[in-house]
Amino acid sequence: MTTEAAPEGATAAPERTPLVELDGVSKYYGNIRALEGVSLEVHAGEISCVLGDNGAGKSTLIKIIAGLHQHDAGTFRIEGEEARLASPREALDRGIATVYQDLAVVPLMPVWRNFFLGSEPTKGAGPFKRLDVDAMRRTTHAELLRMGIDLRDVDQPIGTLSGGERQCVAIARAVYFGAKVLVLDEPTAALGVKQSGVVLKYVAAARDAGLGVVLITHNPHHAYLVGDRFVLLKRGAMSGAHTRAEITLDELTRQMAGGSELDDLRHELERAPEPDLGGGAP
């Protein structure tokens, strides 16, 4: 088979540099292997899903990307530059925002106060310096509305919102404060079907806003609804890596459920045929 030569003067499309790239990253705690040789790419405008059961290494991976822990082997790059983050604040400064499952919100504080928690704007100077509450209220309402969240009262305690709504506020906050990469730790784990759908809609909105999203989940159905890339972890190691074009939902679910191990278990559990003991009349 012959291939056509590229037109004279044409140049190949340049490869996109991932916003975040892990190449063969490993992490050990003494003799315990938490991660071994894990690779992941996160591109702008894409969602990379990391799937695995409890103990698969998902939490350790989050902590490395978020700057809580440093990797022991392999390479961690941010926009092509090798990095070793010393703290979550450094990760934020480099454009990586992590939304944990517990969300780290103050339930009795209003929505607008949680939106700006730790980054409150002020007005005035000297002894007259004070929080710019009006600006925080306006901005919170406008930013939530921009993400499609029409919250009538941003003065209500954030604890009165549903779990899905609180997740959406956290996503909108990360977008507003200039995150380039958004890491979401099991955002739908404790939610019902309807609330999970709401959260996934805003995850897709963050992707459409140009962010690179890392979605940590144990639910292949949720991952396949929005994902562009899939990395499967098992006992701290990679058991698969696929793009959306390379795998179907059924195969992703099968691999997530154990693949060949599940087939072996099915054979073990199949009811054996009852023995023919004869016993007919003489």
Side-chain angles (χ1 to χ4, degrees):
M1 185 179 69
T2 59
T3 56
E4 291 185 14
E8 188 175 345
T11 57
E15 281 192 23
R16 292 188 302 158
T17 300
L19 295 174
V20 164
E21 182 181 11
L22 279 68
D23 186 7
V25 164
S26 301
K27 178 67 182 176
Y28 305 98
Y29 298 100
N31 293 326
I32 299 173
R33 179 193 74 176
L35 280 183
E36 179 84 55
V38 173
S39 297
L40 172 72
E41 288 187 7
V42 184
H43 290 267
E46 288 188 2
I47 298 174
S48 296
C49 300
V50 179
L51 298 102
D53 287 325
N54 293 336
K58 302 191 303 294
S59 295
T60 302
L61 184 66
I62 290 173
K63 289 172 183 175
I64 290 172
I65 297 174
L68 279 166
H69 291 173
Q70 294 186 347
H71 55 290
D72 295 319
T75 307
F76 177 24
R77 299 184 186 91
I78 300 175
E79 297 186 273
E81 179 185 338
E82 193 165 337
R84 184 174 288 272
L85 300 175
S87 68
R89 171 52 62 183
E90 186 178 345
L92 280 170
D93 292 342
R94 299 290 296 269
I96 301 173
T98 303
V99 178
Y100 293 98
Q101 196 170 338
D102 59 12
L103 293 178
V105 297
V106 184
L108 296 180
M109 280 188 177
V111 173
W112 62 264
R113 190 64 191 269
N114 275 278
F115 191 91
F116 281 93
L117 197 61
S119 303
E120 294 87 348
T122 58
K123 61 181 179 181
F128 302 103
K129 189 175 183 179
R130 60 199 185 279
L131 294 179
D132 194 345
V133 175
D134 289 339
M136 285 190 277
R137 285 193 178 109
R138 288 195 308 270
T139 302
T140 300
H141 184 268
E143 290 302 313
L144 292 178
L145 194 60
R146 192 163 71 89
M147 291 288 289
I149 310 167
D150 189 6
L151 200 61
R152 291 185 298 276
D153 184 11
V154 294
D155 280 302
Q156 68 187 100
I158 199 168
T160 63
L161 302 182
S162 69
E165 289 171 328
R166 289 197 297 272
Q167 287 281 354
C168 297
V169 170
I171 293 170
R173 182 184 191 277
V175 172
Y176 174 72
F177 282 103
K180 297 178 183 178
V181 175
L182 180 61
V183 183
L184 299 169
D185 176 23
E186 298 274 9
T188 62
L191 305 179
V193 174
K194 184 175 181 181
Q195 285 294 319
S196 294
V198 170
V199 172
L200 290 174
K201 185 174 84 169
Y202 296 121
V203 172
R207 173 201 64 200
D208 294 342
L211 276 71
V213 180
V214 181
L215 176 63
I216 311 291
T217 182
H218 63 271
N219 191 317
H221 295 272
H222 291 170
Y224 204 78
L225 280 172
V226 295
D228 298 290
R229 300 170 186 268
F230 308 96
V231 169
L232 293 98
L233 298 182
K234 182 179 180 182
R235 297 173 189 164
M238 290 177 65
S239 60
H242 312 278
T243 64
R244 187 181 185 85
E246 295 170 347
I247 195 167
T248 64
L249 173 58
D250 288 344
E251 180 59 21
L252 184 66
T253 304
R254 178 180 174 278
Q255 290 191 22
M256 175 69 188
S260 59
E261 290 184 9
L262 187 65
D263 293 336
D264 293 341
L265 179 61
R266 184 182 298 113
H267 290 311
E268 287 180 26
L269 296 178
E270 282 178 355
R271 187 186 298 272
E274 294 185 7
D276 184 4
L277 299 179

